[in-house]
Amino acid sequence: MTNPTPAEFRLPTPGCYADPERSGLKAGELFDGMTEHLFFTLGKLAPSATKHDLYMALSYAVRDRLMMRYLVGKQALRETPRKTVAYLSAEFLIGPQLGNNLVMLGIEEAATLALRQFGVRSLDTVLEVEEEPGLGNGGLGRLAACYMESLASLQVPAVGYGIRYEFGIFDQLIRDGWQVEITDKWLKAGWPWELPQPDEACVVGFGGHTESYTDAKGHYHSRWVPVEHAIGIPHDVPVLGYQVNTCNRLRLWRADATESFDFYAFNIGDYYGAVEEKVGSETLSKVLYPNDGTDEGRRLRLKQQHFFVSCSLQDMLRSFEKRQIPLEEFPQHWAIQMNDTHPAIAVAELMRLLIDEKYLTWDAAWSITSRCLAYTNHTLLPEALEKWNLPLFASLLPRHLEIIYEINRRFLQQVRLRYPGNNQILRTLSIIDEDGEKAVRMAHLATIGSHHVNGVAALHSELVKTNLMPEFSALWPEKFTNVTNGVTPRRWLALANPKLRALLNEVIGEGWIQDLDQLSKLEAFQDDKNFLERWEQTHLAAKRNLSNIIHRRTGILVDPTSLFDVQVKRIHEYKRQHLNALQVAAQYVRIKEGCADHMPPRTVLFGGKAAPGYYMAKLIIRFLNGIADTINSDPDMDGRLRVLFLPDYNVTTGQCIYPASDLSEQISTAGKEASGTGNMKFALNGSLTVGTLDGANLEIRDRVGKENFFLFGYTATELRNLHQDGYRPWEVLARQPLLQQVVNLVTQGHFSNGDREMFQPLIHNLTHCDPFFVFADFEDYLRAQEDVSQAWLDRPRWNRMSLLNCARNGFFSSDRSVREYCEHIWKARPFPVEVKCELPSVT
């Protein structure tokens, strides 16, 4: 991307813009802003202010600084329209905002000094008060957050569109080793980072029927007559770029009822009926990812997707009308990215809005739609590609189903011309799945309606073309591309690892924060013994911090000088936490038998949530905790091995874990992980990786050097061949005596307090089916862990490998990813804005 000349925008003299209490970045100015908000916003006097009061006051003072940049940029875009990126995502795992915004403004020290005037000695005291926003769950939502931050840092105009969930997915407790889900009430104490905009609400319909009619000119039209409506109230969250004036926004929709209270129902004694519509409508934005194991859960999830997509598209069209730009130019002004299949209904909804409400012809509407929309695929698991059965879809979105049928009819006609007489390819490519219960394939709809389809790692994108969608790729090879994921260095190093940031700033300067490729300057120190010792001490400080957190949260004492071996991510069979658990149990057996004298002390840390309806994932959590309880209570393991499961893994916890990790476990079955971003965060902080050739692991290994990566396991091609040849896990088990010992201990109840039945479903699945090739990769995984132990014992070698993992990680910045999207998919350019404040004249 080229850097255009900044647009100069001169503020129109309202005094608050130039008022230091609202825009100044010095400690005294922040203190004055906090004092004002304590008094006028919170109704508190400083002497009686609690830590939460001070957090709110500082957050409001920082938000004032963001608002000046946000409003200036908004006005500049209004006067000089530029192409804007609309990022549609069901999740935005943005993490706590205060600390990140202090980094973006460069005022952490000023905030610390301001707080000292209130008697608070440490900024962390206030940062710890902030609740984790429950707006996302895993990598999908965290990627969206990184991209929004990078868009702002690169000064590209953008809006993130999603849902303002009242409750997050859940808070996780561990009771008797099992996951227990409790309500994530993240909004209970207020959230100072959002700005409700009720005057920009949108109305969304559901259900009902369609009607056909002819207008005064004799043109045929259809109209949708919904039986149910909900109002979407936008709540804007400012997203500031690093050390720039660009402040984009995350627009989250809260659902409300068109009529909140039925007086007639109330007056006749039907008290529930009086608020039934309000309760039903507000359910749309109540909780992230309702359980789709029931008909009602699936219905709610589809309604959620249509709700936020419709609101977002209406919002874009409304902004267009306000600027009085012809609709035909819509693709020149909006680039709409669908983050996975959750927003795929956008294809049909944009067509509906353009045809039914803007009265465009089909061809004109399709031209606009297909030139605006692009689709990111995030999974290679066929079962994870959303499909909606036709009765459900027709009952909720009858007009959209009509439009999908017409899209499909026109598309299949193109396919017939390309492949005459080939009925099988028609069935394969059709948006409507005809096999079994008929359903709408949302990935097919997204692919057909988009100008680009991208995977999120080189291997993943290749497998999308060759395995997942080979027929689509053959039809439109130019449509398929790759953009490897990235992570923001601001949150995941500058904020999360302040001691390493200080060391980097000292030796290579601060430029790496905006240009992560500058980390390559660290390679000059790879043979510097004194620097490597400083590198190790910096890492040890992060490990001591995590050790203290672990003790506070679990009561378990861990040795910060031991090897911290970490696997934190969503719990899923393909991510293979159970492979790691079996390996840990094998190490336990070897220590008990006196066969591990040269194994260095290890602390093995797990973390992650299982979907509430995913039984096997929840059983894996119980398995991890059962192994941990057994090992941690065995005196023979003292000073040798510790295992723990840290509950409620989230962004806040991740910011403590990534800097402290020595070994990153990226052990998913080859060909199953789309990319991963945890692997990038670990390497960015100097952690070494033990992993398979899966997702972005390949690219990380290529860049950090194969000698600095612990590789094991079958490749995706080898596993495919193994499956085709008839994989028999019981035969693999019979050839591995140590694995047999571990499995026998599990079946005998050694890790479940004598309960022989508890883990039987897990062991039965592995020995009779093993769909993710745990047994197949076990022996080589154990070999790789031996290599890890030997490398750890050679401290200079380990420190050098750690340094090079960080130094060669510049490619995996979300800034690079966003540049690639801008250049190859969105065709969007930076729009820098310079702010020149004018004080009002005094007469």
Side-chain angles (χ1 to χ4, degrees):
M1 290 189 299
T2 58
N3 292 317
T5 304
E8 179 181 314
F9 181 71
R10 198 172 293 274
L11 288 165
T13 73
C16 65
Y17 287 136
D19 187 341
E21 291 183 10
R22 295 283 183 175
S23 60
L25 301 180
K26 296 179 180 178
E29 294 157 345
L30 274 180
F31 172 78
D32 290 342
M34 289 182 65
T35 303
E36 179 181 325
H37 280 294
L38 274 174
F39 192 86
F40 290 107
T41 307
L42 301 173
K44 296 289 182 72
L45 295 173
S48 62
T50 65
K51 286 190 293 184
H52 185 267
D53 294 332
L54 293 175
Y55 156 72
M56 294 291 283
L58 179 56
S59 297
Y60 281 125
V62 171
R63 195 184 76 177
D64 290 343
R65 276 81 187 151
L66 271 56
M67 281 300 99
M68 184 264 287
R69 292 160 175 80
Y70 168 71
L71 292 172
V72 165
K74 188 176 180 181
Q75 181 64 25
L77 272 175
R78 187 178 294 118
E79 295 187 355
T80 312
R82 295 295 177 92
K83 193 168 195 178
T84 301
V85 175
Y87 201 82
L88 302 183
S89 180
E91 299 183 41
F92 286 94
L93 191 58
I94 59 176
Q97 294 295 285
L98 178 55
N100 196 67
N101 282 324
L102 293 175
V103 169
M104 306 307 269
L105 288 168
I107 58 171
E108 289 169 289
E109 184 177 352
T112 300
L113 295 174
L115 285 170
R116 285 180 183 171
Q117 296 185 63
F118 291 99
V120 177
R121 307 307 301 173
S122 170
L123 176 60
D124 288 340
T125 303
V126 171
L127 295 181
E128 290 169 357
V129 172
E130 185 168 5
E131 284 280 342
E132 176 102 4
L135 299 170
N137 175 35
L140 182 84
R142 186 52 235 172
L143 182 75
C146 283
Y147 282 0
M148 287 303 300
E149 192 258 60
S150 282
L151 280 161
S153 294
L154 294 172
Q155 304 179 85
V156 177
V159 182
Y161 284 110
I163 298 178
R164 180 189 179 270
Y165 299 103
E166 184 177 344
F167 304 110
I169 186 165
F170 58 84
D171 283 338
Q172 182 192 56
L173 300 178
I174 300 297
R175 290 179 181 160
D176 298 325
W178 293 96
Q179 170 179 290
V180 175
E181 302 98 19
I182 61 172
T183 306
D184 175 13
K185 302 176 182 177
W186 70 279
L187 284 168
K188 64 181 181 293
W191 197 43
W193 300 103
E194 64 180 359
L195 294 153
Q197 307 285 358
D199 56 321
E200 298 183 25
C202 297
V203 179
V204 180
F206 303 98
H209 64 278
T210 61
E211 298 174 345
S212 59
Y213 68 97
T214 305
D215 65 18
K217 296 181 179 179
H219 297 148
Y220 176 86
H221 296 281
S222 289
R223 70 163 64 93
W224 179 23
V225 185
V227 72
E228 178 186 350
H229 293 86
I231 298 175
I233 310 294
H235 290 61
D236 291 344
V237 181
V239 181
L240 181 65
Y242 180 74
Q243 299 290 286
V244 295
N245 290 319
T246 298
C247 187
N248 291 324
R249 65 177 171 177
L250 178 58
R251 173 155 279 198
L252 304 172
W253 300 96
R254 177 179 64 82
D256 205 351
T258 53
E259 187 63 50
S260 296
F261 191 79
D262 185 338
F263 275 101
Y264 175 75
F266 184 83
N267 287 334
I268 64 172
D270 185 4
Y271 303 126
Y272 175 77
V275 295
E276 184 176 8
E277 183 178 351
K278 176 178 173 64
V279 171
S281 296
E282 291 181 356
T283 301
L284 289 172
S285 57
K286 214 70 173 175
V287 64
L288 169 65
Y289 289 159
N291 187 352
D292 61 358
T294 65
D295 290 342
E296 282 305 309
R298 286 188 289 274
R299 186 179 185 85
L300 177 55
R301 187 175 288 203
L302 179 56
K303 288 180 74 173
Q304 282 185 329
Q305 293 178 5
H306 172 61
F307 167 72
F308 96 83
V309 167
S310 180
C311 286
S312 304
L313 292 173
Q314 290 182 58
D315 192 55
M316 292 177 228
L317 289 169
R318 180 173 52 197
S319 73
F320 221 61
E321 291 174 351
K322 285 181 179 178
R323 290 183 285 176
Q324 298 182 327
I325 302 172
L327 262 180
E328 290 72 21
E329 297 181 23
F330 193 79
Q332 283 78 53
H333 292 264
W334 283 102
I336 306 173
Q337 189 70 31
M338 296 180 289
N339 192 30
D340 215 2
T341 53
H342 308 121
I345 193 63
V347 178
E349 174 65 359
L350 185 53
M351 287 294 290
R352 185 191 71 82
L353 291 169
L354 294 174
I355 293 171
D356 294 358
E357 299 193 7
K358 304 303 178 185
Y359 304 109
L360 269 61
T361 65
W362 180 278
D363 290 340
W366 185 251
S367 174
I368 290 171
T369 299
S370 58
R371 286 187 292 143
C372 284
L373 294 172
Y375 161 52
T376 300
N377 174 278
H378 282 280
T379 183
L380 291 164
L381 302 176
E383 64 271 20
L385 295 175
E386 285 187 313
K387 294 194 296 185
W388 300 107
N389 69 66
L390 286 189
L392 169 64
F393 202 97
S395 68
L396 276 179
L397 304 171
R399 177 58 178 148
H400 298 75
L401 188 57
E402 290 180 352
I403 291 171
I404 288 170
Y405 278 145
E406 181 62 14
I407 292 171
N408 201 41
R409 184 189 70 80
R410 292 172 180 244
F411 165 65
L412 291 182
Q413 182 58 27
Q414 296 179 39
V415 178
R416 286 189 187 94
L417 296 175
R418 179 77 175 267
Y419 302 101
N422 190 339
N423 290 327
Q424 181 56 45
I425 200 167
L426 295 178
R427 294 178 66 88
T428 301
L429 293 177
S430 174
I431 300 173
I432 307 301
D433 185 358
E434 303 280 355
D435 297 328
E437 185 180 34
K438 289 186 178 182
V440 181
R441 296 162 162 162
M442 301 308 285
H444 288 214
L445 178 63
T447 300
I448 293 165
S450 297
H451 56 81
H452 279 87
V453 176
N454 73 280
V456 290
L459 174 64
H460 170 238
S461 296
E462 184 60 29
L463 291 174
V464 167
K465 291 190 290 184
T466 58
N467 290 10
L468 193 66
M469 294 182 171
E471 296 84 3
F472 278 112
S473 178
L475 192 65
W476 295 311
E478 73 286 350
K479 183 178 284 195
F480 287 79
T481 189
N482 173 65
V483 180
T484 298
N485 284 344
V487 300
T488 167
R490 272 75 63 176
R491 180 177 289 274
W492 295 114
L493 205 166
L495 175 62
N497 203 341
K499 286 185 168 32
L500 181 55
R501 172 178 46 161
L503 180 62
L504 295 176
N505 289 351
E506 176 190 334
V507 298
I508 65 173
E510 298 182 16
W512 63 269
I513 301 177
Q514 290 174 296
D515 177 12
L516 202 59
D517 286 332
Q518 292 191 29
L519 289 179
S520 62
K521 296 177 184 178
L522 285 172
E523 294 205 43
F525 299 91
Q526 62 181 289
D527 297 315
D528 186 327
K529 180 180 177 181
N530 291 331
F531 181 79
L532 290 176
E533 288 177 355
R534 291 184 65 192
W535 182 268
E536 182 175 13
Q537 289 304 310
T538 299
H539 193 66
L540 182 59
K543 293 173 69 175
R544 289 194 174 110
N545 178 58
L546 179 58
S547 299
N548 292 332
I549 292 170
I550 289 170
H551 184 245
R552 287 201 307 268
R553 291 179 58 177
T554 69
I556 298 173
L557 289 170
V558 299
D559 178 7
T561 65
S562 64
L563 191 161
F564 277 22
D565 178 351
V566 181
Q567 187 176 16
V568 288
K569 55 183 72 225
R570 180 166 53 93
I571 307 296
H572 197 290
E573 288 172 273
Y574 89 81
K575 294 179 184 288
R576 301 201 295 189
Q577 286 89 353
H578 47 339
L579 170 60
N580 194 353
L582 291 171
Q583 176 268 144
V584 171
Q587 304 294 1
Y588 165 77
V589 169
R590 295 177 64 199
I591 293 172
K592 293 290 286 184
E593 294 181 348
C595 301
D597 291 340
H598 299 292
M599 190 184 94
R602 273 199 202 210
T603 297
V604 183
L605 172 63
F606 294 96
K609 296 178 180 179
Y614 189 176
Y615 171 74
M616 192 61 74
K618 297 176 84 166
L619 186 61
I620 288 173
I621 290 178
R622 181 62 184 88
F623 187 45
L624 300 175
N625 282 292
I627 289 175
D629 290 343
T630 301
I631 288 175
N632 296 341
S633 62
D634 190 330
D636 292 343
M637 300 299 113
D638 289 348
R640 305 295 304 275
L641 187 61
R642 277 285 177 270
V643 184
L644 62 133
F645 187 97
L646 198 58
D648 208 33
Y649 173 68
N650 54 22
V651 172
T652 305
T653 308
Q655 288 176 196
C656 303
I657 290 176
Y658 291 118
S661 170
D662 294 305
L663 184 67
S664 162
E665 298 274 352
Q666 305 298 328
I667 60 175
S668 54
T669 308
K672 299 298 183 183
E673 183 71 83
S675 169
T677 53
N679 45 12
M680 303 169 189
K681 296 164 197 168
F682 280 114
L684 179 63
N685 284 276
S687 181
L688 276 59
T689 303
V690 57
T692 54
L693 286 178
D694 194 32
N697 285 357
L698 286 82
E699 292 163 89
I700 291 175
R701 181 172 179 261
D702 286 344
R703 291 183 181 274
V704 305
K706 62 181 181 180
E707 69 280 6
N708 300 310
F709 187 105
F710 300 103
L711 177 67
F712 77 94
Y714 286 94
T715 67
T717 300
E718 290 169 343
L719 287 177
R720 188 162 56 250
N721 293 336
L722 185 61
H723 176 71
Q724 291 172 351
D725 292 342
Y727 173 56
R728 292 174 286 275
W730 57 90
E731 294 181 357
V732 176
L733 177 63
R735 294 194 297 267
Q736 299 187 51
L738 182 55
L739 181 56
Q740 289 181 54
Q741 282 184 269
V742 171
V743 169
N744 288 337
L745 284 177
V746 176
T747 57
Q748 292 165 12
H750 188 73
F751 300 111
S752 50
N753 298 315
D755 186 340
R756 293 170 176 261
E757 300 299 321
M758 182 179 291
F759 300 128
Q760 187 58 36
L762 179 63
I763 296 301
H764 183 272
N765 179 266
L766 290 173
T767 54
H768 290 79
C769 179
D770 196 11
F772 298 103
F773 302 97
V774 170
F775 283 0
D777 276 346
F778 180 82
E779 191 170 39
D780 200 31
Y781 181 44
L782 210 59
R783 187 270 313 156
Q785 293 290 356
E786 286 294 311
D787 293 344
V788 168
S789 294
Q790 293 305 310
W792 175 261
L793 293 171
D794 185 347
R795 303 303 300 145
R797 177 192 171 199
W798 185 278
N799 291 333
R800 182 178 181 275
M801 295 168 72
S802 171
L803 175 74
L804 291 176
N805 266 263
C806 176
R808 296 172 178 175
N809 206 62
F811 175 80
F812 300 102
S813 167
S814 53
D815 293 352
R816 186 268 315 153
S817 301
V818 165
R819 285 192 187 97
E820 290 184 10
Y821 274 106
C822 286
E823 292 171 8
H824 304 305
I825 298 177
W826 300 333
K827 309 301 181 184
R829 300 176 64 231
F831 182 57
V833 176
E834 286 187 357
V835 179
K836 294 184 180 296
C837 294
E838 291 181 346
L839 286 168
S841 59
V842 179
T843 57

